[in-house]
Amino acid sequence: MVRRFADRDEVITEIGELFREHGYPATSLSLITERTGLGKGSLYHLFPGGKPEMGEAVLTNIHKWFEDNVFLPLIDESDPQTAISHMFEAVTTYFRSGRRICLIGAMALDASRDPFAQRISDYFQRWLETLALALNRAGLLPDDARQLAREIVLGIQGALVLARAIDDDSVFIDEIGRLRKRSLTLPQR
Amino acid sequence: MVRRFADRDEVITEIGELFREHGYPATSLSLITERTGLGKGSLYHLFPGGKPEMGEAVLTNIHKWFEDNVFLPLIDESDPQTAISHMFEAVTTYFRSGRRICLIGAMALDASRDPFAQRISDYFQRWLETLALALNRAGLLPDDARQLAREIVLGIQGALVLARAIDDDSVFIDEIGRLRKRSLTLPQR
DNA sequence: GTTGATTTGTACCGATCAGTACAGAGGCAT
DNA sequence: ATGCCTCTGTACTGATCGGTACAAATCAAC
């Protein structure tokens, strides 16, 4: 008897890290039982829908983190520049300066995409929308705000890919710096 | 008897498309036999090292395509602006305006990365290096050339992730346009 | 035609997969 | 203590996995 009451959120977090390390398709139930210390019975009790439900739970958990720490502040913070600045800090921390991949972005690229297409799209659309709103409130015209929001979100994603591909954090750090500067030098409305 | 002489390059191309669709870890030998029309015996005859050798072959094939169509022109073309412009056209075609993922980038993000880390890194380093060289020849200081090369390569990668995540080609097209413009408006050396 | 080499396809192997069944263990109320 | 519910772990299932063995088919040279 290894564990008595599994903390669902903690299990979801652990599963999420496995998905980041191996990808969703290549993360087996054996890897999950090892990492979490839970037997199969426990896992199926917590996630009766099986592996797909684990995938949904992990994506929901990540989206919630971003909602609380990035998206809502982009909407609610009275000073949009402060909210945007905070977003860069939050993602630098969350993505561990480029050493931790964006699982949702990675899932867009492999066989996970089809089963989770809506969730993947919702997360990115939400990010683009809230960031564009903040940029607009900071002084950009709506079209320019949307374009810059795209540039920022894809820049973060690209920096994560490249940093990992060449094993060099500075790619991520430098790009965050560039995008931060980019968002501060806004044309006047 | 379905095929007599399998064309190795054609088989490599077909396998590469499967890897793009499913990811390397989730592409089974059954999928490969179906797609290529070759039996297992044939596949192991062509790739005695098995699936890892197929992975290597596909990565080598992609790197060669880029070497011939992007990297060497960036070095050899007498007019660097022409070579950079041609690179944007080549990648737009190769990545099908964002509808075809960069397999090497995707492999940086999943469990494929460890076995193929050197190849993945070499490809991106080569791209960065040749592009920086062309940008330098076009007038940028070496450090600025390296930074802009990074911005361009990660921008392309990020655009591929985002375009696929939200199922919108215009993300890729627009970013290529932005990067192209960015590379044309160089500070004078 | 025969022979040898090359290429191909299929049966087989042990291992692993996600999921199922269900007994065992623990906690709580009576 | 007992009974019920919740949570857990393990054995089992059929399917699929990558790889192996090897017979069959094809081709080229003589």
Side-chain angles (χ1 to χ4, degrees):
Chain A
M1 186 57 75
V2 179
R3 303 173 73 146
R4 179 51 197 156
F5 287 104
D7 180 291
R8 195 169 188 266
D9 277 351
E10 190 182 321
V11 172
I12 289 168
T13 300
E14 286 169 329
I15 294 173
E17 287 305 323
L18 277 176
F19 287 165
R20 286 185 186 86
E21 288 164 30
H22 302 275
Y24 171 83
T27 301
S28 63
L29 270 276
S30 300
L31 284 174
I32 295 173
T33 58
E34 275 170 41
R35 178 64 65 91
T36 58
L38 293 170
K40 287 255 198 96
S42 300
L43 284 175
Y44 278 91
H45 178 79
L46 282 174
F47 307 98
K51 198 177 170 189
E53 188 177 331
M54 294 174 206
E56 297 276 0
V58 167
L59 293 185
T60 299
N61 180 272
I62 292 169
H63 194 137
K64 182 169 191 307
W65 189 92
F66 273 81
E67 192 69 26
D68 296 341
N69 293 279
V70 178
F71 306 156
L72 284 178
L74 286 170
I75 296 172
D76 294 340
E77 173 63 53
S78 51
D79 178 26
Q81 287 287 16
T82 299
I84 292 164
S85 192
H86 177 255
M87 175 195 81
F88 284 119
E89 279 152 26
V91 301
T92 300
T93 302
Y94 188 85
F95 295 127
R96 299 206 184 127
S97 308
R99 287 189 299 282
R100 191 198 208 199
I101 66 165
C102 174
L103 177 61
I104 303 187
M107 285 171 88
L109 297 181
D110 70 17
S112 322
R113 185 193 176 235
D114 287 346
F116 301 110
Q118 196 58 55
R119 282 188 184 277
I120 291 167
S121 180
D122 289 349
Y123 165 82
F124 282 106
Q125 297 281 18
R126 180 71 172 153
W127 196 348
L128 291 170
E129 162 199 310
T130 52
L131 181 55
L133 205 55
L135 290 165
N136 178 241
R137 286 196 297 131
L140 273 197
L141 292 172
D143 276 356
D144 294 339
R146 266 190 298 272
Q147 279 192 37
L148 184 55
R150 275 188 180 183
E151 185 186 331
I152 290 168
V153 172
L154 73 80
I156 291 167
Q157 293 300 314
L160 287 168
V161 173
L162 190 56
R164 189 162 169 101
I166 68 172
D167 197 21
D168 182 357
D169 302 355
S170 71
V171 170
F172 184 79
I173 306 289
D174 292 348
E175 180 67 4
I176 292 287
R178 184 188 76 83
L179 293 171
R180 196 192 274 259
K181 206 159 95 185
R182 186 85 175 73
S183 68
L184 289 175
T185 59
L186 303 175
Q188 294 310 302
R189 185 187 332 190
Chain B
M1 183 57 72
V2 179
R3 304 172 71 145
R4 179 51 196 157
F5 286 104
D7 180 290
R8 195 169 188 267
D9 278 350
E10 190 182 321
V11 172
I12 289 169
T13 301
E14 286 169 330
I15 295 173
E17 286 307 323
L18 277 176
F19 289 165
R20 286 185 184 88
E21 288 163 30
H22 301 275
Y24 171 84
T27 300
S28 63
L29 271 275
S30 301
L31 284 174
I32 294 172
T33 59
E34 275 170 41
R35 176 66 64 90
T36 58
L38 293 170
K40 287 250 199 103
S42 301
L43 285 175
Y44 277 91
H45 178 77
L46 282 173
F47 307 98
K51 199 176 167 187
E53 189 177 331
M54 295 175 207
E56 298 275 0
V58 167
L59 293 185
T60 298
N61 180 271
I62 292 169
H63 194 138
K64 183 170 190 304
W65 189 92
F66 273 81
E67 192 69 27
D68 295 342
N69 296 279
V70 177
F71 306 155
L72 283 178
L74 286 172
I75 297 172
D76 293 340
E77 173 63 53
S78 53
D79 177 25
Q81 287 285 14
T82 299
I84 292 163
S85 193
H86 177 255
M87 176 196 81
F88 284 117
E89 279 150 28
V91 302
T92 300
T93 301
Y94 187 84
F95 295 128
R96 301 207 180 126
S97 308
R99 288 189 298 280
R100 190 201 208 195
I101 66 167
C102 174
L103 177 60
I104 302 186
M107 284 170 87
L109 298 182
D110 70 18
S112 323
R113 183 189 175 241
D114 288 345
F116 301 111
Q118 194 59 54
R119 284 191 181 274
I120 291 165
S121 181
D122 289 350
Y123 164 82
F124 282 106
Q125 298 281 18
R126 181 68 172 155
W127 196 348
L128 290 170
E129 162 198 309
T130 52
L131 181 54
L133 204 57
L135 290 165
N136 178 240
R137 286 195 296 130
L140 273 197
L141 293 172
D143 276 356
D144 293 339
R146 266 190 297 271
Q147 279 193 38
L148 184 54
R150 273 188 179 183
E151 184 186 331
I152 289 168
V153 174
L154 74 79
I156 290 166
Q157 293 299 313
L160 286 168
V161 173
L162 191 56
R164 190 163 168 101
I166 69 173
D167 198 20
D168 182 355
D169 302 355
S170 70
V171 170
F172 185 78
I173 307 293
D174 293 348
E175 179 67 5
I176 292 287
R178 186 189 75 84
L179 294 172
R180 197 192 272 259
K181 207 157 96 184
R182 183 84 176 74
S183 69
L184 289 175
T185 60
L186 304 177
Q188 293 311 304
R189 183 180 348 182

